[in-house]
Amino acid sequence: MRRMLRSAHRWAGLATIVVVAVLCASGFGLLVGHSFNLSGRIEIHTDTEQQAEYAGLDKALPTISQTYPDHQAGMILASGSPNRAWQVSLRGKGGENAGLAVQIDPETGRLLSETVAGQSPKDWLLKLHNSLFLGLTGEVLILISAIALMFLSMTGVLIVPGIWRHLRKGPLWNGVRSLHTWLGLVGAVFLLLWTVTGTALLAYKGFADIKPARGRPQMAAAAPGSASPPVDDLPSASLSTILSSVGAAYPDREIQAVIPGRGARPVAVMMLNRFAPPWEKSATFLFDAHSGEALPARDVPVFMRVMIAMKSLHTGVWDSPAVYAVYVIMGAVPIILIVTGPWLWVVNRRRRSKTPAVKKRSLKQRA
C-alpha cells in the first residue's frame, strides 16, 4: 500500500510541478508583500481626528468628476501604505469597468497619480496566483494543481516509513532527504490549510465567473415633462462624516473599502476586524447616500461566513505579527519541497539505473 502511495505521490508531483511552483511562489510573494504594510495600518483616532483624516474624500470625488467627465468614481480602496494614498477605481457612465485608477490623498483630496487598474505588483501576483493570466482556463489549472497539492500533503506524510518511529528515533539529519522529510512533516498542517481554503475560494470564484450574468434592474422612467437629474448631480452625504462615525462606533476595526452611493444605492463601508474569529473578520455597513444615517444591518448568510473564514485563514488576517511571521516562514516551505522533491526523485532514478551494473560486475568477479 505504501509503495502505491509513494508512486502516486511522485507522479502527481511531477505532473503538476510547474503550476504548483507558480502557485506557491506567487502565494509566498503575496505574503511577503503584505507584511510590509502591517506597520502602516490605518489607526483609529478620535471622532474629530478621523473627520479631518477623511475630509479629502469629499473634495476628491468632485475633482475626479471634473477631471474625468466620461467616468465616475467606483470602489475606493483604503491603503495601509506609509504614504496613506487611497485608490479610487474609475468606471464608465454606464457602469462598465474603465480599467483606470486614481491615487488620492484622503486628508487633502489631492489627486496624486493615475494608473492602469490591475497593474501594481500586488495585482500582478494576484492574477498569476489565481489564474496564471489565462482567465477561466488558468483557474481550472490552478484548481487541479491545488487539489494535487492537497493530495501530495496527505500522501507525503503517509509514505514516511514508520513515521512515529522516524520522529522518535530517526536520524536528525541525512542530507536533502531529511530536509524534505522534516519540512514536509512540519509544514503539512499549513499545506493542508492553504490547499483546502484555496480550493474552496477558487471553486467559489470560478462558479461566480461561469454562472449567467443577471440582468440589472432598470430605473423607473421619469414622469412626462419632468427632467431627471444626472446621477452624479444627485445630493449625497459627506463620506468623511460617515467614515468618522463608523470608525468611532467600531474602534477595533479597519476601513478596507468604500463604495459611494449613487441614486437609490446606499454607501457601503467594508471593515476588517483582525481580533475577531475568522468567520466575523469582515463586515459591511450601509448608510443612506443622502442623509448619511446608518441603515439596518443585514444578516450574513452562513455560506458567506464560511467564505469569509476561508479567506481569513488562507491569507493570514490576524492581529498578531508573530502569527503572520509564522505564515510567511511556512510559505517558504512548499517552495523548498518543490526543489528537494524532484532532486530526490532524480537521485533515486540514477541509483536504480546503476544498481544492475554493480550486481553484474560482482557476479563476474565471483566467477
Side-chain angles (χ1 to χ4, degrees):
M1 180 65 178
R2 183 175 286 116
R3 181 176 297 178
M4 293 177 59
L5 286 176
R6 185 179 290 110
S7 178
H9 179 86
R10 290 172 179 170
W11 288 111
L14 292 173
T16 59
I17 184 171
V18 175
V19 180
V20 168
V22 174
L23 188 65
C24 296
S26 57
F28 180 69
L30 289 168
L31 284 172
V32 173
H34 182 65
S35 64
F36 289 106
N37 290 331
L38 291 180
S39 60
R41 287 181 304 171
I42 299 172
E43 300 292 339
I44 300 299
H45 307 295
T46 64
D47 190 22
T48 304
E49 290 173 333
Q50 285 182 14
Q51 191 158 359
E53 183 177 2
Y54 308 132
L57 296 177
D58 297 324
K59 301 177 183 178
L61 295 185
T63 304
I64 290 176
S65 297
Q66 296 174 2
T67 308
Y68 303 91
D70 296 329
H71 301 82
Q72 62 184 12
M75 179 178 289
I76 305 173
L77 296 178
S79 174
S81 59
N83 61 5
R84 304 299 295 272
W86 288 25
Q87 177 176 292
V88 182
S89 61
L90 300 183
R91 299 181 302 173
K93 293 295 186 178
E96 66 275 5
N97 184 13
L100 294 176
V102 178
Q103 306 294 325
I104 65 171
D105 186 332
E107 295 184 4
T108 64
R110 185 166 58 95
L111 305 189
L112 302 176
S113 62
E114 173 191 318
T115 59
V116 179
Q119 295 301 313
S120 68
K122 179 181 178 181
D123 294 329
W124 188 86
L125 281 175
L126 278 172
K127 291 179 182 178
L128 182 65
H129 188 73
N130 293 333
S131 65
L132 304 174
F133 294 98
L134 299 176
L136 185 59
T137 302
E139 291 180 7
V140 173
L141 291 175
I142 291 290
L143 183 61
I144 295 173
S145 300
I147 296 174
L149 188 56
M150 188 190 313
F151 175 78
L152 292 172
S153 304
M154 294 184 292
T155 56
V157 174
L158 295 176
I159 64 177
V160 177
I163 180 171
W164 299 117
R165 178 175 56 83
H166 182 84
L167 291 174
R168 289 185 289 107
K169 300 180 180 180
L172 293 178
W173 183 252
N174 187 23
V176 177
R177 184 175 299 278
S178 291
L179 177 65
H180 187 84
T181 301
W182 285 108
L183 286 181
L185 294 176
V186 171
V189 174
F190 275 86
L191 283 173
L192 286 174
L193 173 67
W194 281 323
T195 52
V196 171
T197 55
T199 300
L201 290 170
L202 191 58
Y204 172 71
K205 181 179 181 297
F207 175 76
D209 290 340
I210 63 177
K211 69 178 181 181
R214 298 178 180 178
R216 296 182 178 179
Q218 300 295 327
M219 298 181 62
S226 63
S228 178
V231 174
D232 286 344
D233 294 340
L234 292 177
S236 60
S238 168
L239 289 182
S240 61
T241 302
I242 291 177
L243 295 182
S244 60
S245 63
V246 73
Y250 302 96
D252 56 344
R253 295 179 180 269
E254 305 167 28
I255 297 174
Q256 289 182 296
V258 182
I259 302 178
R262 296 184 181 279
R265 298 179 182 178
V267 176
V269 181
M270 288 170 271
M271 303 191 75
L272 171 68
N273 185 358
R274 296 178 183 271
F275 299 93
W279 53 89
E280 295 181 354
K281 288 188 178 294
S282 180
T284 300
F285 301 92
L286 302 178
F287 297 84
D288 187 273
H290 307 299
S291 66
E293 296 181 357
L295 300 178
R298 300 175 180 176
D299 293 333
V300 181
V302 175
F303 177 75
M304 289 307 302
R305 289 182 180 271
V306 173
M307 288 296 104
I308 292 173
M310 291 285 185
K311 186 174 182 179
S312 301
L313 293 172
H314 189 76
T315 57
V317 182
W318 304 99
D319 181 68
S320 173
V323 175
Y324 196 80
V326 172
Y327 265 74
V328 174
I329 294 172
M330 289 295 104
V333 169
I335 300 176
I336 299 175
L337 294 177
I338 290 172
V339 175
T340 56
W343 173 264
L344 291 174
W345 180 78
V346 172
V347 170
N348 289 334
R349 294 274 295 184
R350 290 179 178 177
R351 186 176 301 169
R352 290 174 182 174
S353 63
K354 293 179 180 179
T355 300
V358 173
K359 287 184 177 181
K360 288 180 181 179
R361 285 198 299 267
S362 61
L363 289 176
K364 291 181 179 180
Q365 291 175 357
R366 290 180 183 178

